Amino acid sequence: MAITLDIARDNPNAPTVTGIAASASPQDEKPTLIGLTREELAEAMAEIGVPEKQRRMRASQLWHWLYVRGVSDFALMTNIAKDLRAKLDEAFTIARPEIVSEQISVDGTRKWLFRFPARGAGRPVEVETVYIPEEGRGTLCISSQVGCTLTCTFCHTGTQKLVRNLTAEEILSQILIARDRLGDFPDASTPQGAIVPSEGRLVSNIVMMGMGEPLYNFDNVKKALLIASDGEGLSLSKRRITLSTSGVVPEIVRAGEEIGCMLAISLHAVRDDLRDVLVPINKKWPIKDLLNACRAYPGLSNAKRITFEYVMLKGVNDSNQDALDLVRLLKGIPAKINLIPFNPWPGSEYECSDWERIEEFADIVNRAGYASPIRTPRGRDIFAACGQLKSASERMRKKDREAAAGAGA
Ligand code: SAH
Ligand code: SF4
């Protein structure tokens, strides 16, 4: 994710686990029940002949097993009769996607490479998801698309064409499988497994800051986040879910109204001429329009602020004047400012600002009354940076292939 990982510091010794079996049978051609609304689940029950009177109740039972207990095998759904479980298994799947690899950084950051099956005429796709443990909380950074149609010049994902949107199932699966691997679901077979703990969850926060522009995949992102925040399921508070956008202005207020999560804006520049270059969507929706959409975001208050992300690019957007303009621009908007040290990638034309410059910039922002955390580097040794996700995975796999070839020789 954006947060700060420096690929120049690759650590070849970081543990990589490859070919971990999914927790149930590998995903097959059967339609999935993950990512369906309750109504759609009830329709699925109709398809396999569940009488109308029972459909809603069965849908609730399934919801509970899928999202509270986190099971990925119908056989574990003990309050559903055996013959119905068999029918479900015949018609549908709830298996997790394949984990291609899992890497664990020396600082506890984890990165997974997941493979999702082909959709239609396409090929299987690979997506990376990053988990960042912190004192008292843990943040999962998830992807919304494979590649991106936008071309922000400092972001490596932006150099890759959009392969496709992820489905609601694929967005949710990133959360489910991360919780499996972290042991963050209760033991499904115990009575405690029926309750969502209010404290101590390892995945306590979600950020849509992986690959892709979430507001260009609005319907699937909305569906997945509404399921993730459902109080009878995964129960992640909407206050702990943050959607980051480069500035798809017409969808911003809609996201607030229909999803209701926290908002982050990839601002990165305070002048249109520069933002046109760094975040080219600015040519369509310039800073003024973007900030007006932010002002209209529903429910803003000092307790519910918008996060403005600002990547620190040496000699490009990091002057004291930029900092002063930034605080002037955001006046009147309940805001937090996140300064992100630039994560370089091969062939990128930018450098990260010097540390002293970042601190001076942060001081100006602080003096204006904003807390402006500088995101500290995490998981550097496993290439977990945003904007580098896909390329890093390709490189990692090449390394794995070479290692495998070496071992076989
Ligand atoms: N497409 C969405 C969300 C994914 S990018 C968006 O642009 O907001 C998540 C964050 O990472 C954005 O703020 C993005 O600008 C930032 N980012 C991308 N590449 C980066 C890099 N190389 N170094 C630091 N931050 C980067
Ligand atoms: Fe896409 Fe966000 Fe990267 Fe821009 S910063 S290219 S919108 S992923």
Side-chain angles (χ1 to χ4, degrees):
M1 59 190 296
I3 309 193
T4 62
L5 306 151
D6 177 356
I7 63 163
R9 307 198 184 191
D10 176 30
N11 169 9
N13 300 320
T16 299
V17 188
T18 48
I20 303 159
S23 45
S25 57
Q27 232 174 22
D28 46 36
E29 300 295 313
K30 291 181 279 190
T32 180
L33 295 184
I34 307 279
L36 302 188
T37 62
R38 282 194 178 74
E39 295 69 40
E40 287 168 340
L41 270 180
E43 284 163 27
M45 295 306 96
E47 278 171 40
I48 56 166
V50 172
E52 197 175 346
K53 276 194 298 199
Q54 289 181 19
R55 285 176 205 157
R56 280 184 52 179
M57 181 266 290
R58 294 293 180 210
S60 291
Q61 284 178 320
L62 281 165
W63 193 272
H64 178 82
W65 283 109
L66 296 179
Y67 300 123
V68 176
R69 301 200 187 226
V71 306
S72 50
D73 185 350
F74 291 111
L76 296 170
M77 300 182 172
T78 43
N79 61 355
I80 297 181
K82 250 191 173 161
D83 57 336
L84 181 53
R85 278 188 258 156
K87 272 193 196 165
L88 284 164
D89 196 30
E90 217 170 276
F92 304 110
T93 179
I94 52 171
R96 303 285 195 252
E98 182 186 350
I99 306 173
V100 180
S101 70
E102 173 178 86
Q103 284 184 292
I104 307 172
S105 158
V106 284
D107 69 16
T109 301
R110 289 190 193 216
K111 187 178 71 175
W112 295 277
L113 182 64
F114 301 134
R115 184 175 297 137
F116 297 119
R119 305 270 168 206
R123 296 175 176 192
V125 291
E126 286 174 358
V127 168
E128 285 181 341
T129 304
V130 177
Y131 174 70
I132 301 140
E134 286 165 297
E135 192 66 35
R137 61 188 237 161
T139 302
L140 193 69
C141 174
I142 59 183
S143 298
S144 55
Q145 299 183 308
V146 184
C148 188
T149 49
L150 301 172
T151 51
C152 304
T153 44
F154 55 89
C155 172
H156 204 188
T157 307
T159 66
Q160 292 149 3
K161 284 202 182 129
L162 177 75
V163 180
R164 71 169 169 82
N165 281 337
L166 294 178
T167 63
E169 176 217 353
E170 291 163 341
I171 295 167
L172 268 176
S173 288
Q174 295 172 65
I175 306 175
L176 298 177
I177 206 163
R179 292 193 64 196
D180 285 346
R181 295 295 304 160
L182 292 165
D184 199 25
F185 276 119
D187 182 346
S189 60
T190 64
Q192 290 84 344
I195 305 156
V196 181
S198 55
E199 309 241 316
R201 296 173 65 175
L202 295 175
V203 177
S204 60
N205 294 57
I206 299 285
V207 290
M208 298 286 318
M209 292 187 188
M211 291 163 64
E213 169 47 61
L215 295 186
Y216 275 160
N217 185 14
F218 193 96
D219 292 343
N220 291 333
V221 166
K222 172 182 165 184
K223 207 172 175 196
L225 293 184
L226 290 183
I227 293 174
S229 57
D230 186 286
E232 284 164 23
L234 287 161
S235 292
L236 284 154
S237 156
K238 288 182 181 179
R239 290 289 175 102
R240 290 170 173 265
I241 301 177
T242 303
L243 182 151
S244 174
T245 178
S246 57
V248 184
V249 165
E251 307 287 15
I252 287 179
V253 171
R254 193 178 154 215
E257 286 167 354
E258 298 182 22
I259 306 173
C261 58
M262 305 298 281
L263 180 68
I265 300 286
S266 293
L267 189 62
H268 306 316
V270 289
R271 300 187 323 268
D272 280 323
D273 61 337
L274 179 59
R275 196 164 188 271
D276 283 350
V277 176
L278 298 179
V279 188
I281 199 175
N282 194 68
K283 289 189 235 161
K284 202 163 182 184
W285 292 299
I287 294 175
K288 189 161 169 275
D289 296 354
L290 176 59
L291 295 183
N292 280 340
C294 289
R295 285 190 187 91
Y297 196 73
L300 282 191
S301 68
N302 276 346
K304 189 177 178 190
R305 295 167 191 248
I306 296 177
T307 301
F308 288 87
E309 296 158 281
Y310 197 93
V311 64
M312 298 300 296
L313 302 171
K314 189 175 192 165
V316 175
N317 65 354
D318 62 352
S319 71
N320 288 351
Q321 191 58 51
D322 287 313
L324 290 165
D325 288 347
L326 177 62
V327 294
R328 190 180 42 78
L329 210 55
L330 300 185
K331 212 165 173 213
I333 305 177
K336 284 188 272 191
I337 297 171
N338 245 328
L339 302 179
I340 314 174
F342 169 65
N343 296 300
W345 38 272
S348 70
E349 53 185 291
Y350 301 106
E351 278 177 73
C352 183
S353 308
D354 296 331
W355 197 249
E356 297 73 41
R357 182 92 292 275
I358 300 179
E359 285 193 328
E360 207 175 321
F361 195 102
D363 279 347
I364 295 175
V365 170
N366 285 335
R367 279 202 296 274
Y370 292 99
S372 58
I374 306 167
R375 291 185 185 172
T376 33
R378 297 295 304 266
R380 282 177 164 173
D381 51 337
I382 57 165
F383 294 111
C386 181
Q388 299 146 350
L389 288 181
K390 179 70 177 175
S391 60
S393 73
E394 277 164 4
R395 285 173 5 154
M396 188 180 70
R397 293 183 61 217
K398 182 161 174 271
K399 225 168 55 188
D400 286 345
R401 277 200 302 275
E402 284 166 4

